[in-house]
Amino acid sequence: MGKKITLSVIKADVGGFVGHSSVHPALLEKAQGMLQGSPLLIDSYVAHVGDDINLIMTHELGRNNGEIHQLAWDTFCACTEVAKKLKLYGAGQDLLADAFSGNIKGMGPGVAEMEFEERKSEPVVVFMADKTEPGAWNLPLYKIFADPFNTAGLVIDPSMHDGFLFEVRDLIENTRVTFSAPEELYDMLVFIGAPGRYCIKRVFHKQSGEIAAVSSTQRLNLMAGRYVGKDDPVCIVRCQSGMPAVGEVLEPFARPHLVSGWMRGSHSGPLMPVGVNQATPTRFDGPPRVVALGFQLSEGKLVGPQDFFADPAFDQARQMANEIAGYMRSLGPFEPHRLHLDEMEYTTMPLVLKKLKDRFEKLR
Ligand code: F6R
Ligand code: MG
Ligand code: MG
């Protein structure tokens, strides 16, 4: 067996510039300095989408490694200090604990990690989104790994024809179940069609058992038991040679789907694919954005990135997203633009109910 590389993507919002729209360059610089100075890593790249900092790291220490998680935690703490000095908005908002406790999971930041033996050539795409939630990846992951109308390889590439395994998490009950596609697609869709609760955590190549994709499935509000910001998610996908081609991996984003998490974490809107320099949500704090960075791994080095959605081939998707955004906005405070009550992260309902308590008359 050859040596294994771990690709870890850990993200947090530790202060917005301005409001919740973006990350100040001083924070990115701080994060870069922290990671570059670490002997634990083979390589690193610091990116941002909206107000989230994404630490993309390669190493040989495996998933859930305490030292790597500590490094990410310390990096976010150092960035928080910078954010506090500049009085950036919501400084330290995603760091739920006072001190690091061995594993960054459950402490606020989002985590997606995969460990694998690097192939002869190892193309990966790192997706990062803002103003949405982990379930936002359900529809694109379904299309990439299970929909023959999206992924031609499922039909015509013998090494993909057997399909993929999907590990689905129930974020409320904290359980998981694995579905085998294509045989169990209809069963799986019953669950993943409800992305506020059921999220695709991992996808495996069925024939080889190799990891193909992993997403971050943290839900901050469930962890903290109160509104503490959105769980803007990340997702890593391996591409080519028995995995979906890069173009098959990007294709689902050509038609923006509706996701939860716009304005106050309480609205639904289209997920707009953008290049890094357009990853600054503005209108009504949105619409929600997704960036796709491509890397070739070379002995763990991150060769890249390629800013895929900066391509004009996604201009039409952006236009469509703007049209959908305009329509959804026209609904104002009405569902389904505003999320269903169960999903609303900010709500005045208890207060208003209390105020009007005595005015509700029982009907017989
Ligand atoms: C959505 C988001 C923003 C904020 C909104 C209010 O996920 O980050 O839409 O919810 O700007 O922010 P606060 O409550 O911090 O004033
Ligand atoms: Mg924020
Ligand atoms: Mg955010």
Side-chain angles (χ1 to χ4, degrees):
M1 271 233 319
K3 84 172 176 214
K4 287 196 166 178
I5 299 287
T6 305
L7 175 56
S8 300
V9 181
I10 306 187
K11 55 83 36 189
D13 172 356
V14 292
F17 168 62
V18 172
H20 289 285
S21 69
S22 190
V23 175
H24 192 282
L27 272 64
L28 298 174
E29 216 175 286
K30 176 51 97 181
Q32 269 148 10
M34 295 279 297
L35 298 189
Q36 277 161 12
S38 169
L40 301 173
L41 302 180
I42 303 174
D43 204 359
S44 63
Y45 187 83
V46 176
H48 85 96
V49 51
D51 54 7
D52 293 284
I53 299 176
N54 300 274
L55 311 178
I56 303 172
M57 302 173 283
T58 52
H59 54 91
E60 289 176 30
L61 300 175
R63 294 187 290 126
N64 292 316
N65 177 273
E67 288 181 288
I68 296 294
H69 284 203
Q70 170 105 50
L71 173 64
W73 179 262
D74 291 346
T75 302
F76 291 132
C77 289
C79 292
T80 299
E81 289 314 307
V82 180
K84 281 184 178 158
K85 276 200 195 93
L86 297 172
K87 290 185 69 177
L88 297 179
Y89 195 70
Q93 75 161 54
D94 283 0
L95 306 183
L96 300 184
D98 296 330
F100 183 69
S101 66
N103 189 316
I104 206 164
K105 277 189 201 160
M107 299 183 69
V111 184
E113 298 182 292
M114 53 162 72
E115 186 183 27
F116 50 81
E117 215 172 293
E118 204 176 271
R119 296 171 292 168
K120 202 165 81 194
S121 181
E122 188 64 65
V124 296
V125 179
V126 178
F127 290 102
M128 307 169 297
D130 189 35
K131 308 297 177 240
T132 183
E133 60 175 15
W137 306 126
N138 282 8
L139 185 146
L141 286 174
Y142 166 78
K143 283 192 168 175
I144 294 166
F145 290 104
D147 179 4
F149 280 73
N150 181 88
T151 298
L154 294 169
V155 182
I156 61 180
D157 180 347
S159 63
M160 285 174 67
H161 198 74
D162 280 359
F164 290 84
L165 301 175
F166 290 71
E167 179 189 320
V168 175
R169 295 271 173 100
D170 177 343
L171 300 189
I172 307 282
E173 292 295 327
N174 204 21
T175 54
R176 69 175 173 194
V177 52
T178 299
F179 293 101
S180 182
E183 315 87 87
E184 299 183 304
L185 278 186
Y186 299 161
D187 285 348
M188 179 167 84
L189 283 164
V190 171
F191 297 96
I192 65 169
R197 172 161 180 179
Y198 298 97
C199 293
I200 300 171
K201 175 65 184 174
R202 261 183 265 280
V203 182
F204 298 92
H205 187 268
K206 204 189 287 176
Q207 246 170 28
S208 66
E210 285 273 312
I211 182 77
V214 62
S215 72
S216 62
T217 47
Q218 285 68 24
R219 277 198 68 177
L220 265 181
N221 55 331
L222 295 180
M223 281 161 3
R226 66 195 149 88
Y227 179 78
V228 282
K230 272 321 276 187
D231 313 283
D232 307 314
V234 292
C235 179
I236 311 171
V237 183
R238 294 170 83 190
C239 310
Q240 308 290 155
S241 306
M243 301 289 182
V246 168
E248 289 167 337
V249 170
L250 302 178
E251 179 66 10
F253 298 91
R255 177 170 287 264
H257 61 294
L258 292 174
V259 296
S260 300
W262 196 358
M263 182 51 86
R264 298 177 184 276
S266 304
H267 292 79
S268 168
L271 186 61
M272 180 188 270
V274 290
V276 170
N277 61 12
Q278 292 182 319
T280 305
T282 53
R283 183 180 181 193
F284 201 54
D285 286 357
R289 307 289 158 118
V290 56
V291 163
L293 296 184
F295 296 93
Q296 288 286 153
L297 292 191
S298 173
E299 309 302 330
K301 287 275 177 202
L302 292 158
V303 181
Q306 186 69 253
D307 186 3
F308 284 124
F309 292 148
D311 189 79
F314 287 91
D315 283 351
Q316 222 176 17
R318 286 186 273 275
Q319 195 187 328
M320 196 187 292
N322 274 325
E323 278 166 26
I324 298 169
Y327 170 73
M328 294 301 282
R329 282 299 303 123
S330 72
L331 303 180
F334 286 83
E335 296 178 9
H337 182 31
R338 201 184 75 178
L339 297 186
H340 183 265
L341 280 180
D342 297 347
E343 295 230 35
M344 291 237 299
E345 297 199 342
Y346 284 76
T347 171
T348 44
M349 182 67 101
L351 287 176
V352 179
L353 262 178
K354 198 169 163 208
K355 190 177 75 181
L356 299 184
K357 194 169 65 97
D358 299 331
R359 288 175 45 195
F360 277 87
E361 296 169 34
K362 196 95 195 145
L363 295 173
R364 289 173 209 289

